[in-house]
Amino acid sequence: MTVSEYLLKVGLGKQVKARLTEEEVRIFRELTAQGNNLNQIARGVNQTGLLSPSDIDDLMKIKELIKRLL
C-alpha cells in the first residue's frame, strides 16, 4: 500500500491492518511458544540463582528469533 492509499483510508476512518509475511507469522508463533520456556527459566533462576546449559540454549534461541524480527 502506498503512503497516499494509507492516508486516504485513515482519513476516511477505515481500519488499516498490517500484513505480515509468512516468515514473520511463523516467528511470532515460535516466540509465543518460547514464552513458556522463558517463564520457566525465570522461575528456576529466581529459585536457584543458576542457569542450566539448556536454559542458556533456550535464551539464545529466543534472542535469535527477536533479532530476526527486528
Side-chain angles (χ1 to χ4, degrees):
M1 168 182 315
T2 67
V3 172
S4 9
E5 288 172 326
Y6 171 80
L7 292 174
L8 179 61
K9 286 186 179 194
V10 170
L12 294 173
K14 295 185 178 180
Q15 187 176 22
V16 180
K17 294 183 180 179
R19 292 185 183 156
L20 300 176
T21 66
E22 288 182 30
E23 176 70 2
E24 289 168 330
V25 170
R26 190 187 67 69
I27 292 170
F28 275 117
R29 285 186 181 142
E30 180 64 22
L31 275 172
T32 300
Q34 290 298 326
N36 186 44
N37 284 347
L38 189 56
N39 285 333
Q40 291 175 354
I41 292 168
R43 190 177 308 118
V45 170
N46 285 332
Q47 291 174 351
T48 66
L50 302 172
L51 280 172
S52 73
S54 67
D55 291 341
I56 294 170
D57 289 342
D58 288 342
L59 288 171
M60 294 306 292
K61 183 176 182 180
I62 293 168
K63 179 182 174 184
E64 288 304 313
L65 287 170
I66 292 170
K67 282 172 61 176
R68 286 173 51 198
L69 280 174
L70 298 176

